[in-house]
Amino acid sequence: MDFTGKKALITGSGGGIGKSIALLLADMGADIVVNDVSIENAQQTAKKIISKGRKALVSNANVVHDVQVKKMFESISQNFGRIDILVNNAGITKDSLLMDMKEEQWDQVMDVNLKGVFLCCQYAARMMSEQQYGKIINISSASGQMGNIGQVNYAASKGGVISITKTLAKELARYQINVNAVAPGFIRTPMTQTVPEKVEKYIIGQIPLKRMGEPEEIANAVAFLASDNSAYITGQVLSVNGGMYV
Ligand code: NAD
């Protein structure tokens, strides 16, 4: 796969899965917009991309806010002139059992995981439709496919990401924009670092491949969907989960 000359925005690419995606696409030739609310982490990812000989544009836009997302896309337009690939990766968890969950836990997760995807898709689609070319990859989750105790907010948001993906695949196909989702299972990142050892062991026991996934394994799936090798694939959910949900 060769992304030479392509411009890719990966939200939440200051760490975890997003960082792996950014570095892999840069290895394959793409220039990268590194977005993260943590400017320090975004700058660290950007440094690595530049050391690979690629261009990196840093944005600390919070994807929840329309004004900040608009500014990020204006900067992309000025600096890169186009956007070929959007990976909606920024996401958060605020876990709690239903009966204890606070309204703000629900709202915060919906804001980042759903509204953030909506806003980035909207601005990207405006640029991509002009170009008659684009690849949008939304990061969902096995929780959104199968449900998960303590994650009514997160599972609902990630199920919503699948619905956004299917709808935009139909809506944007006329502009030669492919829209797909990747649904990771249980992946070793800062997000899952706080899972207690006992729970981690239990989850791994439920996974047919009997291990956690690595961020690079999600990046490989994203790269395929961002490439022209998947030109006839749109509106699909690619599960990368060790068989956790089949
Ligand atoms: P992570 O917490 O390690 O990284 C997420 C990054 O997004 C962080 O750098 C964070 O600063 C950034 N971010 C958070 N809110 C943001 C916002 N409003 N605007 C911009 N950036 C923001 O998480 P991760 O494990 O790398 O997860 C990446 C994606 O994969 C998320 O959408 C997550 O839901 C999904 N996912 C992860 C797993 C897993 O097991 N780790 C499983 C399924 C799905």
Side-chain angles (χ1 to χ4, degrees), residues 4 9 37 42 82 103 142 162 176 189 199-201 204 212 216 221 229 231-232 241:
T4 305
L9 161 62
V37 279
R82 58 184 291 121
E103 186 182 3
I162 293 174
Q176 306 305 317
T189 71
V199 179
E200 186 181 306
K201 263 198 181 149
I204 290 173
M212 290 180 82
E216 293 74 18
N229 291 351
Y232 201 53
N241 61 23

Side-chain angles (χ1 to χ4, degrees), residues 1 8 10 14 16 23 27 41 65 76 80 87 94 110 120-121 125 139 143 149 169-170 182 188 212 218-219 223 233:
M1 286 181 274
I10 298 103
L23 298 180
D27 279 336
N41 290 351
H65 300 300
I76 293 170
F80 282 172
V87 184
K94 296 275 172 201
M110 288 298 157
C120 290
C121 283
I139 306 299
S143 290
I149 291 172
K170 292 180 179 181
V182 170
R188 199 180 303 282
M212 290 180 82
I218 305 304
I233 300 176

Side-chain angles (χ1 to χ4, degrees), residues 21-235:
I21 297 168
L23 298 180
L24 181 64
L25 296 186
D27 279 336
M28 292 173 166
D31 295 323
I32 310 288
V33 186
V34 183
N35 159 258
D36 206 290
V37 279
S38 162
I39 187 81
E40 295 82 14
N41 290 351
Q43 278 163 347
Q44 278 189 14
T45 304
K47 232 189 221 171
K48 289 199 169 174
I49 289 163
I50 291 162
S51 74
K52 293 175 189 292
R54 307 266 48 99
K55 291 191 187 113
L57 184 65
V58 170
S59 159
N60 68 341
N62 183 332
V63 295
V64 166
H65 300 300
D66 181 72
V67 182
Q68 296 184 28
V69 175
K70 183 169 188 253
K71 225 177 106 195
M72 173 167 70
F73 275 89
E74 281 168 359
S75 165
I76 293 170
S77 186
Q78 280 159 15
N79 289 280
F80 282 172
R82 58 184 291 121
I83 190 76
D84 301 288
I85 299 159
L86 163 66
V87 184
N88 281 306
N89 165 81
I92 58 166
T93 52
K94 296 275 172 201
D95 295 355
S96 170
L97 293 172
L98 170 71
M99 285 187 266
D100 302 321
M101 189 171 284
K102 305 267 182 298
E103 186 182 3
E104 62 258 30
Q105 286 173 286
W106 176 269
D107 288 344
Q108 286 167 1
V109 167
M110 288 298 157
D111 269 356
V112 178
N113 297 8
L114 265 187
K115 188 182 168 192
V117 174
F118 157 69
L119 287 173
C120 290
C121 283
Q122 188 172 54
Y123 284 99
R126 288 174 183 154
M127 287 175 77
M128 289 172 173
S129 60
E130 291 285 315
Q131 302 162 184
Q132 288 285 311
Y133 183 91
K135 309 279 187 186
I136 297 176
I137 298 107
N138 299 321
I139 306 299
S140 177
S141 168
S143 290
Q145 296 171 302
M146 59 194 276
N148 196 21
I149 291 172
Q151 291 197 316
V152 64
N153 50 358
Y154 183 77
S157 74
K158 292 299 186 177
V161 166
I162 293 174
S163 302
I164 290 178
T165 303
K166 292 183 179 184
T167 298
L168 296 188
K170 292 180 179 181
E171 204 172 306
L172 301 177
R174 74 194 72 171
Y175 305 113
Q176 306 305 317
I177 301 171
N178 299 58
V179 188
N180 289 291
V182 170
F186 191 42
I187 313 300
R188 199 180 303 282
T189 71
M191 184 182 267
T192 49
Q193 239 165 29
T194 51
V195 174
E197 211 182 310
K198 220 174 103 185
V199 179
E200 186 181 306
K201 263 198 181 149
Y202 171 77
I203 299 173
I204 290 173
Q206 305 295 305
I207 302 171
L209 286 179
K210 296 287 175 243
R211 65 171 177 88
M212 290 180 82
E214 298 301 328
E216 293 74 18
E217 297 181 292
I218 305 304
N220 284 331
V222 170
F224 169 64
L225 292 173
S227 77
D228 291 327
N229 291 351
S230 57
Y232 201 53
I233 300 176
T234 197

